[in-house]
Amino acid sequence: MKERIIFGYDPFVIPFTLGVIFIMLYLGTGTVRILLTLTRKEALNLLNSIFSVKIFKTFKDILFDVLLHVKIFKRNILLGYMHASIAFGWFMLIFIGHIEVILYTPQRNGVIYYPVFFRYFVMETSQTLRGAFFFFLMDLFLLIVLSGIALAIYKRFRSVRLGMKRTTRLKTGDKIALWSLWMIFPLRLIAESFTADISGGSFLTSTINTLMGSLVESTVYMDTLWWAYSCALAIFLFALPFSRYMHIPTEILLIFLRNAGIKSSSSRDGFAESEIYSCSSCGICIDACPMSVVDKKSNYTSVYLLRKLRRRKEDSLFVAEQCLMCGKCVELCPVEIDSCRLKLLKKRENFPDQIFDYNYLSKKHPEFKSGINRPDREKVLYYAGCMTHLTPQIYTSLFNIMDKAQIDYSFMDRDGSICCGRPLILSGGERAAKELIKANSELILRANAGILLLSCPICFKVFKENYSLNGIKVMHHSQYINLLIKEGKIKLKKGDFSVVYHDPCDLGRGSDVYSEPREVISSAAVLKESSNLPAESICCGGSLASRRFSQSERESVTLHSLEKLNINNPEKLITACPLCLRSFSKFNKRETLDIAQLAEQQMI
Amino acid sequence: MEGDVLVIGGGAAGMETASRISDFNRNVILIEKEQELGGHILKWDRLFPDGIPASDVTKNLKESLGSTKVLLGCYITSIEKREDSNFFAQLNSGETIKCSSVIFATGFKLFPAQKKQEYGYGLYERVITNADLETRFKKGEGLGKDAPKRIGFVHCVGSRDEKICNNQCSKLCCITAVKQAIELKQLYPFAEIFCFYMDLRMYGRGYEDLYLEAQSKYEIRFIRGRVSEISQEQSGLVIVKAEDTLASRPLKITLDWVVLMAGIISERENDYLSQQLSLQLGEDGFIDSVDPIQKTNQTNIAGVFVTGSASGPKTLPEVINEARSTALSVNEYLNKIKNG
């Protein structure tokens, strides 16, 4: 390969070079800013994760998430191909460009623009083996990127074809970046085609060059096109910080930080900033969000919250308060942004802590019938919580099951309870909830039980995550019933009716309990699938988390969820949460039961 | 079978409308899905405000039916209005009825109290509904031989409750609760009786007097506040949790019996009929009148009338009066179509 331009320079490289310098400085500053907010412990964790085998996981995550977009492939093959072809194809173009420079023009190593405009500066024919090989590769990856761009343009008009009912509304910065991104690759193709007879080309560029005929002989056209290509790149790079495409560089930093076990501690700065800037505004969360069934509420989905947080808008609190906190958007997010955590933090930062009076807590001293002083591993302490008190059929059935299995249990809050604390936590009162957690913990430890049994997944999650109970096993009743069946203490007969199971948000996605309820149900009835995967179950509409949902809006959520559940026409609906039971039984024309009721009915 | 008028529903509204139209020498067919005429008041013992036996009212209504053809155990499977403005109704018995006018006297349904899960109806033995209590009165059982010490009435169960999707006021449960509370007090003079209410709507003549009497003479205690939940003690007694909003404090009380005042909701079982005739229903499921002031018993379809609680909760005197006015409207309509 031979350099065509002696100094290896032409003025058209200036816009691109400025763009690269700008974005490098911007990214450098941003990264340093985020790293400086890390605590000493977090910084050490980060170093540890870089200088250990963990780094391979980080590299794997970067390859799979940033370049290949495996998670989007799983959602929709076309959508995945669109993302992967642009990301991976572009990466390969840059990567191979660098290889070419290193191999053939080592004297230009480190010249920023050289690998990108290699075809302009170097000539070679495809007659030689290395020419044919590299030109073919470059044309191939350019073709892949172009096919991705074509899909992206198509998606703007018919997003449904790529598996998305709704897409994100774009801001000006996004649009400028988007249009320049669409321009970059066609311009590169034509620019390289125009020089293909001088610098060499392969199946794409050479063919186009031949087709152009006499046009390519004019150097004016050629220069104009290389200028246009460089300008398109420059516009993209300058627009990048003000657009959603910031996710491309930021996600790499996010993966490093996440793999070091770092979590956000504020809704906007530090680690949160890397999460916020990593949002690609792909809009997968808009379709996923149960709120979206109410049209105007789709404006409050995670993608728009992240955008508001990014721009430090004052109404981001209002948006955070809308969320039902079902966690489905987190489950489906291709970048794995924990937007629910950011919402909680936002609410926590605005929580009025001083208005609470906890004097009443010291007055609660329920008595337990058990006189044993040392902890008994078999003994069960049952805590119904406020929601199960509103659905007494659940604990009545559960007690009948436990009586039949001859379990020694006591009912901790028969005469009223101290709240588990999760409603407070969900509205941002983490510190306030500590008082309740302390009071409850004392009561629980005094009972000397081995198992703390709960019926409400909302309580279950908080008892598991926010309490330290000295080794007492925290169980949801669906797990406990399954345990009783496994131990042979109760027996169920399998009915010939069909049922569908609804995974409560806090039990499934929230606490990762999916299999035990299904095992119980399978031994009592014929279990049918709903139209959602277990981890993508839709909120029943009863969530305690949102302060901004009217009754009729909740009804729309419930009806939508029911429609998806009943898709295979089951005879009954089974759930494992008092709140879901209440929401669904209001509207479901089929029988709606808690898993404990089903188990009791089928018990022999 | 052919007739001038088909009345659907043999409750108080249907019977009174049928007998009054018969008075105009019209050919009336009355169908009732149960085996006996009377509707809801068949289950009732005595009626507010003066305690007249419900059976007397039913008896009078039946006697005045005159030439009306009564079909018991019958319901309509399909109905249509033909071009000549005649109606054709197919009955479950296989019979077809041709008539010029149809009257919906389909009444209401009592709210199924088990839907209000936190009150434990169907789960706790000592939680019953207003209808259950009337049945007990009728059988002469009361609340059993052992005199209960404390009894609670929970107002507005399934009425004015957005959470259970019924926003309407059932109108008659306030006074029914007062009546039933007094009856219980007469039966068990030493029992303490509590009524948990959010508003007391004593709008009818004599209602307010009865309410005052309940407080002064019978010492029934009225507590303003909704019941949040009911649970059961191991002994079978029930614990009621509520808020006393006048005293601004939560309240917990152990009672021997709780009576839930199940409200009035629309009879959704007839929705297929209103669909076949394109009748307009309100959001609450009751049939809409074409004009809520002057044409309360006419529907959006000419020749189809509505009377009684099928268009919203009503007391018995209101039902009887409306039935008579419906009879007049129907007669006018029949004259009009006859004269072209």
Side-chain angles (χ1 to χ4, degrees):
Chain A
M1 299 217 186
K2 223 166 58 191
E3 283 197 299
R4 196 162 69 83
I5 316 287
I6 299 164
F7 298 107
Y9 168 78
D10 190 281
F12 82 80
V13 301
I14 293 173
F16 167 75
T17 312
L18 288 178
V20 172
I21 293 170
F22 166 74
I23 201 68
M24 286 299 174
L25 287 175
Y26 190 91
L27 292 178
T29 323
T31 310
V32 170
R33 259 187 44 186
I34 291 175
L35 291 180
L36 283 180
T37 60
L38 296 184
T39 61
R40 200 184 147 72
K41 199 174 156 227
E42 286 172 334
L44 282 175
N45 281 345
L46 180 61
L47 286 176
N48 277 337
S49 74
I50 293 175
F51 298 106
S52 70
V53 282
K54 277 191 195 164
I55 193 72
F56 292 110
K57 183 184 183 307
T58 306
F59 283 141
K60 191 207 94 188
D61 286 353
I62 290 173
L63 176 67
F64 278 43
D65 294 351
V66 182
L67 294 176
L68 298 177
H69 292 274
V70 175
K71 282 187 202 117
I72 306 182
F73 264 108
K74 282 181 194 159
R75 288 230 71 67
N76 182 295
I77 292 178
L78 267 188
L79 194 66
Y81 177 76
M82 184 194 106
H83 284 86
S85 60
I86 300 176
F88 186 65
W90 199 2
F91 170 77
M92 288 309 283
L93 286 177
I94 299 170
F95 182 69
I96 299 172
H98 278 87
I99 301 270
E100 285 179 320
V101 173
I102 292 166
L103 286 180
Y104 305 120
T105 55
Q107 69 275 24
R108 301 293 173 202
N109 250 342
V111 180
I112 294 172
Y113 56 82
Y114 224 72
V116 177
F117 303 121
F118 195 73
R119 269 305 152 272
Y120 182 85
F121 291 111
V122 173
M123 50 185 185
E124 174 68 77
T125 60
S126 54
Q127 259 42 45
T128 63
L129 187 62
R130 59 189 183 192
F133 177 69
F134 278 107
F135 291 167
F136 173 76
L137 272 188
M138 290 301 253
D139 270 20
L140 178 67
F141 283 111
L142 187 58
L143 180 67
I144 291 174
V145 177
L146 283 168
S147 65
I149 298 281
L151 269 176
I153 295 171
Y154 180 60
K155 175 174 158 269
R156 280 287 125 196
F157 302 103
R158 293 291 302 275
S159 64
V160 177
R161 284 295 174 87
L162 279 83
M164 293 182 70
K165 285 195 204 120
R166 297 171 223 235
T167 53
T168 327
R169 286 186 316 276
L170 299 183
K171 292 271 180 185
T172 317
D174 296 328
K175 284 182 188 161
I176 294 173
L178 178 77
W179 292 328
S180 54
L181 181 65
W182 285 357
M183 292 308 294
I184 289 172
F185 298 96
L187 282 173
R188 175 175 180 143
L189 173 71
I190 305 174
E192 289 190 350
S193 301
F194 268 71
T195 47
D197 52 343
I198 312 167
S199 316
S202 187
F203 64 95
L204 260 189
T205 40
S206 292
T207 316
I208 294 178
N209 184 283
T210 321
L211 287 175
M212 295 279 181
S214 60
L215 269 181
V216 293
E217 281 159 25
S218 161
T219 49
V220 180
Y221 288 133
M222 191 174 86
D223 280 352
T224 315
L225 281 165
W226 282 96
W227 266 99
Y229 173 42
S230 173
C231 286
L233 280 167
I235 295 172
F236 180 72
L237 291 172
F238 278 107
L240 192 65
F242 314 101
S243 75
R244 56 189 187 144
Y245 298 98
M246 263 306 273
H247 80 91
I248 303 170
T250 320
E251 198 182 343
I252 298 170
L253 176 66
L254 175 72
I255 291 174
F256 271 98
L257 294 175
R258 183 193 292 139
N259 285 350
I262 298 168
K263 284 188 170 163
S264 45
S265 52
S266 116
S267 67
R268 178 59 179 79
D269 298 308
F271 178 75
E273 185 153 31
S274 71
E275 285 200 301
I276 290 166
Y277 276 88
S278 290
C279 172
S280 62
S281 291
C282 66
I284 286 179
C285 53
I286 304 178
D287 280 343
C289 182
M291 287 201 287
S292 295
V293 290
V294 182
D295 252 347
K296 65 172 198 254
K297 292 264 174 191
S298 62
N299 294 341
Y300 306 131
T301 44
S302 294
V303 55
Y304 295 117
L305 173 88
L306 289 167
R307 188 182 278 180
K308 288 206 185 286
L309 286 175
R310 179 169 166 175
R311 296 187 160 83
R312 297 185 196 272
K313 294 271 188 198
E314 273 183 15
D315 57 347
S316 48
L317 174 66
F318 176 78
V319 177
E321 283 174 345
Q322 299 278 349
C323 178
L324 299 161
M325 299 292 271
C326 73
K328 196 175 166 202
C329 55
V330 181
E331 185 72 33
L332 293 186
C333 179
V335 195
E336 290 178 56
I337 298 170
D338 194 347
S339 43
C340 281
R341 188 180 169 91
L342 295 179
K343 288 167 195 170
L344 266 187
L345 288 167
K346 184 77 205 170
K347 289 195 256 185
R348 202 184 294 173
E349 284 153 18
N350 292 279
F351 192 76
D353 259 323
Q354 58 282 10
I355 58 167
F356 297 96
D357 170 14
Y358 296 105
N359 282 333
Y360 73 96
L361 289 177
S362 55
K363 291 173 195 155
K364 293 257 176 195
H365 287 299
E367 285 168 21
F368 303 110
K369 55 181 179 179
S370 165
I372 316 166
N373 286 326
R374 62 184 167 75
D376 181 350
R377 305 243 41 98
E378 293 285 302
K379 192 174 147 31
V380 172
L381 182 65
Y382 180 74
Y383 176 89
C386 59
M387 288 316 300
T388 320
H389 270 295
L390 297 180
T391 46
Q393 66 266 46
I394 296 180
Y395 66 71
T396 309
S397 294
L398 184 59
F399 290 167
N400 286 342
I401 293 172
M402 289 203 283
D403 286 339
K404 177 101 178 182
Q406 295 177 328
I407 303 293
D408 176 17
Y409 64 91
S410 47
F411 189 174
M412 175 173 155
D413 56 340
R414 179 188 290 283
D415 295 323
S417 55
I418 300 171
C419 171
C420 67
R422 187 149 155 89
L424 255 180
I425 294 175
L426 281 173
S427 51
E430 182 108 8
R431 277 182 298 262
K434 289 215 168 85
E435 296 283 337
L436 306 180
I437 291 175
K438 203 176 108 212
N440 267 330
S441 301
E442 278 171 19
L443 288 177
I444 294 165
L445 291 175
R446 212 185 306 149
N448 287 324
I451 294 172
L452 175 66
L453 182 59
L454 305 150
S455 285
C456 175
I458 305 165
C459 303
F460 176 63
K461 189 173 163 69
V462 77
F463 277 112
K464 272 187 85 160
E465 291 178 4
N466 301 61
Y467 283 67
S468 47
L469 292 172
N470 232 351
I472 296 178
K473 201 169 175 192
V474 179
M475 291 184 95
H476 182 257
H477 72 254
S478 60
Q479 296 174 306
Y480 190 65
I481 294 172
N482 194 39
L483 182 74
L484 292 180
I485 297 174
K486 287 228 165 105
E487 287 177 345
K489 289 187 176 157
I490 54 167
K491 275 205 179 74
L492 304 190
K493 66 169 185 295
K494 189 164 176 136
D496 53 2
F497 49 89
S498 63
V499 301
V500 65
Y501 174 63
H502 166 75
D503 286 282
C505 305
D506 274 346
L507 193 64
R509 277 189 296 272
S511 311
D512 211 26
V513 176
Y514 293 109
S515 60
E516 290 104 323
R518 286 186 167 72
E519 282 171 33
V520 174
I521 294 170
S522 300
S523 56
V526 183
L527 181 61
K528 281 191 174 178
E529 287 303 317
S530 79
S531 73
N532 300 99
L533 293 169
E536 293 174 19
S537 120
I538 305 171
C539 172
C540 68
S543 168
L544 298 173
S546 178
R547 294 173 54 196
R548 305 273 175 202
F549 252 74
S550 72
Q551 200 67 33
S552 66
E553 286 164 343
R554 285 179 185 277
E555 282 171 24
S556 316
V557 176
T558 312
L559 289 172
H560 171 66
S561 185
L562 268 179
E563 189 191 316
K564 299 282 177 193
L565 281 168
N566 286 336
I567 201 131
N568 288 326
N569 204 15
E571 284 164 62
K572 297 177 186 187
L573 167 63
I574 309 296
T575 182
C577 168
L579 202 54
C580 299
L581 183 65
R582 282 171 70 81
S583 309
F584 286 137
S585 50
K586 241 193 290 180
F587 294 104
N588 197 5
K589 296 204 172 67
R590 302 151 212 260
E591 196 177 0
T592 313
L593 292 172
D594 186 83
I595 192 164
Q597 291 174 281
L598 176 75
E600 188 204 7
Q601 282 173 12
Q602 296 305 113
M603 196 164 54
I604 20 177
Chain B
M1 195 187 288
E2 243 187 271
D4 294 317
V5 181
L6 170 65
V7 180
I8 312 169
M15 285 196 279
E16 182 68 13
T17 315
S19 53
R20 293 302 158 186
I21 300 177
S22 304
D23 289 348
F24 293 116
N25 288 325
R26 300 284 181 190
N27 199 346
V28 183
I29 303 164
L30 172 66
I31 62 165
E32 163 59 44
K33 64 176 184 231
E34 301 296 333
Q35 293 300 333
E36 192 182 351
L37 287 175
H40 286 281
I41 50 171
L42 276 181
K43 292 188 211 122
W44 245 245
D45 183 38
R46 284 184 289 168
L47 303 173
F48 64 78
D50 300 330
I52 297 169
S55 51
D56 289 2
V57 177
T58 321
K59 196 171 139 244
N60 293 340
L61 285 168
K62 273 187 198 164
E63 278 170 1
S64 58
L65 275 172
S67 62
T68 306
K69 270 186 221 118
V70 179
L71 303 175
L72 292 175
C74 283
Y75 57 88
I76 298 174
T77 53
S78 71
I79 187 164
E80 65 166 327
K81 187 182 179 182
R82 299 256 169 99
E83 305 238 320
D84 56 359
S85 50
N86 277 328
F87 294 88
F88 285 82
Q90 184 73 41
L91 297 189
N92 59 323
S93 54
E95 191 153 12
T96 311
I97 293 179
K98 184 188 169 202
C99 57
S100 315
S101 171
V102 176
I103 299 170
F104 276 76
T106 44
F108 63 91
K109 207 165 88 176
L110 273 184
F111 173 75
Q114 59 273 17
K115 273 197 165 183
K116 196 80 186 157
Q117 300 169 359
E118 56 268 45
Y119 294 165
Y121 179 68
L123 209 57
Y124 311 143
E125 271 178 28
R126 284 164 176 263
V127 175
I128 59 173
T129 63
N130 40 4
D132 297 337
L133 183 61
E134 287 293 337
T135 312
R136 284 164 171 269
F137 281 148
K138 217 173 149 114
K139 288 184 187 161
E141 288 173 2
L143 293 176
K145 278 179 200 133
D146 299 331
K149 290 193 193 76
R150 289 167 144 189
I151 306 159
F153 282 83
V154 182
H155 288 238
C156 297
V157 176
S159 309
R160 300 176 71 198
D161 189 346
E162 199 184 17
K163 284 188 179 164
I164 215 79
C165 310
N166 290 319
N167 294 346
Q168 77 275 7
C169 169
S170 302
K171 212 169 160 182
L172 22 139
C173 348
C174 282
I175 181 66
T176 304
V178 171
K179 182 210 76 150
Q180 291 183 337
I182 291 176
E183 285 173 303
L184 280 180
K185 189 76 180 183
Q186 288 167 340
L187 214 55
Y188 308 108
F190 299 106
E192 275 185 282
I193 297 182
F194 303 88
C195 285
F196 299 92
Y197 70 98
M198 53 175 173
D199 286 313
L200 284 169
R201 300 192 160 175
M202 297 294 166
Y203 61 96
R205 187 172 172 211
Y207 295 4
E208 188 69 21
D209 299 328
L210 201 65
Y211 168 47
L212 290 176
E213 196 177 287
Q215 293 173 82
S216 55
K217 186 172 166 193
Y218 293 102
E219 293 175 333
I220 291 161
R221 290 178 56 190
F222 288 85
I223 297 168
R224 197 186 80 176
R226 275 200 144 169
V227 169
S228 62
E229 60 190 72
I230 299 176
S231 55
Q232 194 179 28
E233 270 190 355
Q234 266 148 345
S235 60
L237 299 186
V238 277
I239 305 165
V240 168
K241 276 192 206 163
E243 185 188 354
D244 186 338
T245 55
L246 294 179
S248 298
R249 62 172 175 224
L251 170 138
K252 195 166 79 176
I253 186 168
T254 307
L255 300 170
D256 296 26
W257 289 88
V258 170
V259 184
L260 305 178
M261 301 309 293
I264 286 177
I265 59 172
S266 57
E267 177 65 277
R268 283 279 176 187
E269 284 158 34
N270 292 319
D271 278 4
Y272 70 101
L273 288 183
S274 26
Q275 257 168 31
Q276 287 172 11
L277 287 171
S278 324
L279 276 193
Q280 200 179 316
L281 301 184
E283 256 179 52
D284 53 10
F286 289 107
I287 299 173
D288 270 346
S289 303
V290 71
D291 172 345
I293 292 171
Q294 288 185 301
K295 294 173 183 167
T296 51
N297 39 37
Q298 292 178 34
T299 68
N300 58 322
I301 305 295
V304 180
F305 294 81
V306 58
T307 190
S309 310
S311 62
K314 289 186 187 81
T315 61
L316 257 180
E318 285 168 342
V319 166
I320 303 287
N321 286 335
E322 198 182 45
R324 293 171 186 173
S325 91
T326 308
L328 280 177
S329 306
V330 173
N331 193 46
E332 264 170 38
Y333 172 79
L334 293 175
N335 283 336
K336 206 172 82 189
I337 55 166
K338 196 176 164 194
N339 304 328

